Structures are given as C-alpha cells and as structure tokens.
Amino acid sequence: MTRSPSSPGFWRSPLRGAWLTSALGVVLLGGITVLFVTGLVSYAAYNPNLSPVNDKTPDKGILGFYLFPWPTDPHWLYRLNQGLHVTLGITLIPVLLAKLWSVIPRLFALPPARSLAHALERISLLLLVGGALFEFVTGVLNIQLDYVFPGSFYTLHFYGAWVFFAAFVAHAVLKTPAALRNLRRLRDEEPSDLVSPRPDPPTVSRRGALWFVGGGSLLLFATTAGQSFDGLLRRTALLAPHGGADPGGGPSGFQINKTAAYAGIHAAETAEDAWRLVVTGRTGTVRLSRAQLARLPLHSAALPIACVEGWSTSDQWWRGVRLRDLAALVGYDDDPPDVLVESLQRRGAFRRAALRANQVADPRSLLALYVNGEDLSPDHGFPARIIVPAAPGVLNTKWVARMTFGDL
Amino acid sequence: MRRPLIPVGSPFQLLLLAASFALAGYAGVRLLADDWFGVAVWFVGAALLHDLVLLPLYAAADRAVVRGLGAAGHREWVRYVRVPAALSGLLLLVWFPLISGMVDRRYRLGTGLSPDGFLARWLLITAVLFGASALLLALRLRRATKQRPPAVH
C-alpha cells in the first residue's frame, strides 16, 4: 500500500508536519493579504469608474465597491504600491511552492470526504490552489510581456484574484487559529496527518528548510527589487525585465514601456508641420502646433514613471504646459474638468485614457514637451505627453493628439 | 433514527464555504465570460501541472540526489547540491520567458532594451551558486581533515 500516494507511508520526508505548514501559512497569510490590497489599490489608480476607456473590467459590479477618486499625493504613491505588489509577489513564490509541497499528501488523502463540510472544503481547495497559481502565473508572465494567457491580463488577473480571495478567506478563517496554536507550541510537534509514519533519515533540519525557502525568496528579491530604482541599483536586478541597463544614454535614457516603433508612430506624423494638438472644451476647439505650445507658460515637475508591471524610474524633470492651463484655453478658467486624452498610437489598450478633474487641477500635471532639459525623445512621447503625479504609467499618455475637456 | 450516509460536519464551516463559493461564483462567471474553456484549462491546469508534474519531478530529482550521494556514503553532501540546484531552478522557473528567449522580439521592440543578456546572466548566477557551494564543501572537508585525530592515519 505504501506505493500509493494515498497511503501515509508513501510520503517520506521527515520535514512535513503541522509546524512547518503553519509557519509557511502564516507568512502567506500576511503576504497574500498585502498582494490583494495593493492589487485592489492598483485597480483604483486607473480611475475605472471615470470612463469606460479606463476600465478593462466594466462588468465588475459590486467588486468595485471600494473604488475612490485616485489622489495625486504623494506623487510616488503608485510607484510604491506597484513596486510592492510585484516585488512582494515574486518574493513569495518560494514560500507558496514550499507551502504546497508541505501539504501535498493531503491531495491524495482517502476517504475523499469525511463529511459534507469536508467535501466542500476540498472543492474550495481547488479554487485556492488553482487560484493562487493562476494569479502568480498570469502576473509573472505579464511582466515578461509573455501574453499567452487566454484573454486580457486585466480581466483575468482581476476576476481571478477575487475567485482566489474568496477561497483564501475561507481557508484563512478555518486554518489560522490552528496554525497560530501550532506555532505557539514551538518545538513539540502536534500529531498531524502530515507527519510521515516512516520517515527517511533527515538531510536537513526544519529550521534549515525554512532558511532554504527564505534564501530562495531573498535571491528572487535581490535580483528583482532594483528595477524600481535607477543607476547602480537597477543593475542589481539581474533577471527582472526592467533591470540591467537603461535604454540609450543622455537625458532620455530612462526606462520605456512601449517604444514609438512598437506603438506604430511614424516620424512624418509627429513632424512640426504635420502634428497639431487638438484641444476641445466648453468654448470650442483650439489647434496648436508644438511651437505654439512652447510659447505658452511652461512649468516644471519632478515625477516618476511607474508601470503596472512593477518597475519604475526615479523622478524625471519634466517641463511643459499645465493641464489646467489647457483647460482654461477652452473655457474652463477656474474649474478644470475631467479630460479624455487620445494618442496617435493605433493600437494598445490605453491609446485613449481619461483623467479626473483633481488630476487635471494639480499644478504638477503637465502636457510635457521636454524631459531632463531636452525635447522628449520619440520613445518617451514626442511631440507631447501627459505626466500626472501618482498616476499609473499607462495613463501618462504619449504622442498626444487630442484632448477633450468636460465632465466624462 | 438512521445516521445519514455522510455526516454533515460543522455548520459554521458549511456557512463559511457557502459564502466563499457565492463570492467565487460571482467573480467566476465574469472570469469565464469570454473564453470559459481557455480560462478553466489555465485555472485547473495550473493546479494539476503543479501537483502532478512539477512537484513529482523536483521531488524525484531530489530523491535521486539523496540516494546517489547516500550510496556513495556522502549523504551529508546533499545540501551542497540541493541548494544551488533548487535556487537556479527557481530562477529559471520564474524568468523562463526571458531566459529562454521566447519573448525576444516583443521585448526588444517594446522596451528598447536588449533581450540577449538574460540567459547569460542566469548561467552566471548558476555558476556562482554551484561554485560557492563547491567552495563551502571544500572548506568543510579541509577542516574535517585537519580536525581528524592523527591516530586515524
């Protein structure tokens, strides 16, 4: 019978037991809670209720109950939130794998169900394990631009998170009290179905196993976290998608999400004689060349680019026209409204994006023409791009063609 | 009174799981709205692939190392193989799309960065991990030789 995985004697590791599973479980309880909250906050940062163009999950119903107008202060808010979400998620992968390893005998345990409640709990575990792996896998693939999953990342990762979270809460409520009891007991092992009845001689202590898992987390953290910083720190992110070197050098040599070539922007359409910014509002439409824009009052703001993929740049020095000054050009003198921004780019989920009135009104919110003292480079949005404090990168529309002010 | 065929279990647990399934169902119909089959395959497939393929594979590899070194009388060397191999494998698992080069074109076009270094960097990290492990083992063996009482010779 020991040849069958449903027999307890099949599992030989002397490490398995209530204490190890509880320790890993408590780490995940805290870590996954932070992942879920930062994920929800990231969704709110898109201002999905402002306009359909900002919302990839318009059928969310009550799942958007908590949404709030996204603030512009502190200006590093999205950078912190998203860096935390992605870096912590990657760091937790070894803990998740170890946790699943520690309870694998239970997958095969017989009888399949001891009671109706137990049967339902096992079904719930499929949602828990499938959901956890689904969330981690879609996240890890998305930051590597490997869009092989069946649908839009936003839809899958958002609804998947809620399915997972439903099972996670039930699991946490059922298991946390016992897990805390096991940990308080410290060294004397509670009798548990996870303990092997005929263990192999140990090759590592339980403490050693925890160090091993922690070492895996530390290695992933150390080779990822640097992509939220510039210079030497970025170079420490040896395997992260936006680690290593910066693209090119000079004032525009900071990280790019999508290049002009990727977005299908041709130099002919951004040339001085071809490109016009079309601004529409209460009093009609104004068309401005880049030279005309450059003669409007220009202002500066030091703001980062922070991507949903978790990487970010330090503050760059942007210079351009305040969004609220553009609103004033078309009849909104003292009451800047929302704005719909449209890009020249032909594809991309956010070639149109909406900004809320509080974002337009912030004096640091610019239609930038220059960065770090020079013209924008084509890859950073020449002739003009949006830059708004604390906004997710995709809402800082590049290659802006049209801005429509008014309540959305 | 006849006992029910299957006991019901804790009513609290039943209520909690019912609430959990209701919320999961509310989100689940939205998750499955577009490509229900593809998403279901990914969701269930992720669990099956992990539990029935990935875990048995690495467990078998680990057991082979333990047996092999045990047969050679060096069971205590296991950690010097297990730790670097697992850490290297972990990095490969997480960063496989970049390391394998399967997203090269999109990565280069999208970010303006070179996709060429990932494989080399992973190999170098792997070399450092195994090299450091070998060094630690060598130091340990040397110390053991020095501490051995001369009578053994």
Side-chain angles (χ1 to χ4, degrees):
Chain A
M1 263 316 276
T2 54
R3 285 175 170 271
S4 149
S6 58
S7 142
F10 177 87
W11 305 97
R12 305 293 296 274
S13 173
L15 291 174
R16 286 201 183 88
W19 189 86
L20 181 68
T21 297
S22 300
L24 295 167
V26 166
V27 174
L28 288 176
L29 175 66
I32 286 178
T33 303
V34 173
L35 290 185
F36 186 70
V37 171
T38 49
L40 292 190
V41 168
S42 176
Y43 181 56
Y46 280 71
N47 276 327
N49 278 351
L50 175 62
S51 159
V53 299
N54 286 19
D55 194 2
K56 303 302 160 194
T57 49
D59 300 323
K60 59 191 176 290
I62 57 159
L63 302 181
F65 73 93
Y66 67 93
L67 291 173
F68 53 93
W70 186 247
T72 55
D73 271 305
H75 70 275
W76 39 260
L77 185 58
Y78 193 72
R79 187 179 177 202
L80 174 69
N81 185 79
Q82 215 48 23
L84 190 60
H85 183 77
V86 172
T87 310
L88 179 62
I90 290 170
T91 304
L92 285 178
I93 288 172
V95 186
L96 176 69
L97 293 177
K99 174 72 162 59
L100 293 176
W101 175 85
S102 79
V103 293
I104 191 74
R106 283 192 185 148
L107 176 67
F108 301 96
L110 292 176
R114 296 187 302 269
S115 65
L116 181 62
H118 183 235
L120 291 178
E121 192 194 338
R122 292 194 77 173
I123 296 171
S124 170
L125 287 178
L126 173 65
L127 297 183
L128 183 76
V129 175
L133 292 168
F134 184 82
E135 287 303 287
F136 276 84
V137 168
T138 49
V140 163
L141 289 176
N142 186 64
I143 63 171
Q144 297 178 73
L145 319 183
D146 195 4
Y147 309 131
V148 287
F149 29 75
S152 152
F153 170 72
Y154 289 96
T155 314
L156 298 180
H157 205 65
F158 178 74
Y159 291 134
W162 278 102
V163 173
F164 166 61
F165 190 68
F168 175 77
V169 169
H171 187 70
V173 170
L174 291 176
K175 301 290 189 184
T176 306
L180 294 177
R181 262 201 318 276
N182 289 333
L183 291 180
R184 251 183 251 121
R185 228 179 264 255
L186 290 174
R187 296 287 154 210
D188 10 295
E189 190 75 65
E190 187 188 22
S192 158
D193 55 319
L194 292 171
V195 175
S196 173
R198 45 181 216 115
D200 280 337
T203 53
V204 60
S205 67
R206 212 164 48 177
R207 180 189 291 261
L210 276 189
W211 275 108
F212 180 42
V213 175
S217 287
L218 188 67
L219 179 67
L220 279 170
F221 177 83
T223 51
T224 303
Q227 67 170 347
S228 298
F229 305 93
D230 281 344
L232 283 177
L233 271 176
R234 186 177 300 282
R235 290 186 172 273
T236 63
L238 290 172
L239 293 172
H242 284 263
D246 276 318
S252 292
F254 57 96
Q255 296 291 313
I256 300 158
N257 180 32
K258 296 292 184 305
T259 63
Y262 188 93
I265 306 294
H266 302 292
E269 42 184 357
T270 59
E272 181 61 42
D273 51 349
W275 182 82
R276 293 292 179 274
L277 176 71
V278 181
V279 187
T280 303
R282 199 185 262 158
T283 54
T285 296
V286 179
R287 305 170 80 86
L288 296 159
S289 70
R290 194 169 188 281
Q292 288 171 311
L293 276 170
R295 284 194 294 272
L296 294 175
L298 298 183
H299 298 270
S300 295
L303 298 171
I305 296 287
C307 184
V308 69
E309 293 161 10
W311 58 268
S312 55
T313 73
S314 53
D315 291 352
Q316 310 295 326
W317 187 56
W318 307 93
R319 193 159 173 77
V321 183
R322 279 180 177 155
L323 297 187
R324 67 183 191 195
D325 290 351
L326 289 170
L329 278 184
V330 288
Y332 296 95
D333 287 309
D334 306 310
D335 51 342
D338 310 326
V339 63
L340 176 71
V341 183
E342 294 170 80
S343 171
L344 282 177
Q345 68 189 97
R346 276 158 202 82
R347 55 205 172 87
F350 287 90
R351 63 186 182 280
R352 299 196 301 156
L355 298 170
R356 206 183 284 275
N358 68 312
Q359 294 173 310
V360 174
D362 193 295
R364 297 162 297 175
S365 297
L366 304 176
L367 180 72
L369 307 176
Y370 310 97
V371 66
N372 300 328
E374 282 194 3
D375 277 341
L376 291 172
S377 70
D379 288 337
H380 284 300
F382 180 88
R385 79 170 297 168
I386 301 288
I387 187 80
V388 170
V394 281
L395 297 188
N396 292 321
T397 309
K398 299 196 276 192
W399 314 290
V400 174
R402 182 183 288 271
M403 301 176 71
T404 308
F405 287 93
D407 291 324
L408 294 171
Chain B
M1 203 178 85
R2 256 174 12 121
R3 267 163 50 85
L5 209 56
I6 297 180
V8 171
S10 146
F12 169 72
Q13 190 170 337
L14 281 174
L15 289 175
L16 179 71
L17 289 169
S20 164
F21 285 134
L23 177 58
Y26 186 86
V29 294
R30 288 159 173 79
L31 179 65
L32 297 169
D34 286 334
D35 175 7
W36 71 268
F37 185 73
V39 173
V41 164
W42 271 68
F43 205 95
V44 179
L48 292 181
L49 210 63
H50 172 270
D51 290 353
L52 303 180
V53 180
L54 179 68
L55 192 149
L57 273 181
Y58 74 68
D62 187 69
R63 186 161 270 204
V65 170
V66 174
R67 288 232 174 103
L69 288 174
H74 292 299
R75 206 180 149 83
E76 72 283 5
W77 290 4
V78 165
R79 72 177 73 169
Y80 296 97
V81 180
R82 179 192 276 154
V83 171
L87 293 179
S88 168
L90 177 69
L91 291 178
L92 180 65
L93 179 75
V94 172
W95 302 117
F96 185 76
L98 288 173
I99 291 172
S100 67
M102 58 199 278
V103 290
D104 269 9
R105 229 184 76 80
R106 188 184 291 124
Y107 180 83
R108 185 192 301 275
L109 194 59
T111 65
L113 299 168
S114 163
D116 297 334
F118 290 102
L119 175 63
R121 288 200 287 274
W122 175 68
L123 288 172
L124 285 176
I125 294 172
T126 302
V128 168
L129 289 170
F130 276 99
S133 194
L135 190 68
L136 285 175
L137 179 59
L139 287 175
R140 199 187 110 158
L141 290 177
R142 226 184 97 165
R143 204 179 307 139
T145 319
K146 277 191 177 164
Q147 281 170 1
R148 201 177 295 162
V152 178
H153 290 287

